[in-house]
Amino acid sequence: MGIGARERRDRLERFEELCREAGVPCTIQRRALLEAVLDREDHPTAHQVLEAVRARIRGISRATVHRNLETLVEMGVITKTCHPGGVIRYDARIDIHHHLVCLRCNSIADIDDENLDSLELPDTSAFGFKVSDFRVQLRGVCRECRRKDSKKRNRSK
Ligand SMILES: [Zn+2]
Ligand SMILES: [Zn+2]
């Protein structure tokens, strides 16, 4: 599920607070990019975010979008997620949740599950690795793609 109106407002306020604390200018561009990510549930690519803000911010460049999305990730107001298509995807949710990843169309959908949240993680100290959080990726074929498959099958009968 995406985020509600109230959380959306809280998140924007939190962003402004963080900007003040970190001395990062809370520009109209950054705010618009954050809103664009918060308004989508499909884990958009930087390109999709660019398309979404283009009407609001004339002449915004691809480089500006990339740079500012990275800044938002560093600030912890959005997250970056798995990218089966080889492209970075951005996620409005910063809490622990998991993903259904379609290997055909590269769609990513959120799934909340208590059992997955409480998975016992292995000891990674031998790798010198410190785990901060985790996401489980359930990989497979989404409903849309399966529907297309069954249509194809029906046609060829
Ligand atoms: Zn799919
Ligand atoms: Zn997600």
Side-chain angles (χ1 to χ4, degrees):
M1 287 301 116
I3 64 167
R6 189 180 166 167
E7 196 196 332
R8 187 182 190 279
R9 203 180 47 235
D10 289 349
R11 295 277 297 275
L12 287 167
E13 272 171 22
R14 178 84 190 113
F15 165 64
E16 284 168 13
E17 249 172 57
L18 281 170
C19 284
R20 275 194 298 273
E21 283 166 18
V24 176
C26 176
T27 59
I28 292 168
Q29 288 183 342
R30 282 203 186 110
R31 203 187 146 94
L33 291 171
L34 174 57
E35 284 180 278
V37 175
L38 293 181
D39 288 342
R40 298 179 66 129
E41 287 178 29
D42 62 347
H43 307 80
T45 62
H47 181 73
Q48 287 170 318
V49 175
L50 172 61
E51 292 296 312
V53 299
R54 204 168 240 164
R56 278 175 69 185
I57 306 172
R58 297 240 174 146
I60 189 166
S61 72
R62 185 186 284 260
T64 304
V65 170
H66 274 279
R67 199 175 51 240
N68 284 302
L69 284 173
E70 286 304 305
T71 306
L72 295 175
V73 171
E74 279 164 29
M75 290 174 75
V77 293
I78 58 172
T79 53
K80 272 202 271 202
T81 190
C82 55
H83 37 100
V87 184
I88 296 168
R89 306 278 289 261
Y90 294 92
D91 194 336
R93 288 185 57 178
I94 50 181
D95 60 328
I96 288 204
H97 67 286
H98 310 284
H99 288 143
L100 301 175
V101 176
C102 178
L103 298 172
R104 299 256 173 91
C105 68
N106 296 325
S107 68
I108 304 176
D110 290 331
I111 177 173
D112 289 289
D113 184 272
E114 277 174 24
N115 288 327
L116 292 181
D117 293 350
S118 54
L119 275 185
E120 209 166 295
L121 299 182
D123 179 5
T124 54
S125 57
F127 300 91
F129 189 90
K130 188 170 182 309
V131 176
S132 53
D133 72 356
F134 70 100
R135 304 279 186 273
V136 175
Q137 259 190 46
L138 302 174
R139 292 146 60 94
V141 182
C142 76
R143 183 188 281 144
E144 270 311 298
C145 290
R146 291 181 54 216
R147 197 176 281 153
K148 279 181 206 149
D149 281 357
S150 69
K151 265 191 204 148
K152 246 182 250 158
R153 264 199 305 277
N154 288 340
R155 235 181 281 140
S156 60
K157 259 181 208 162

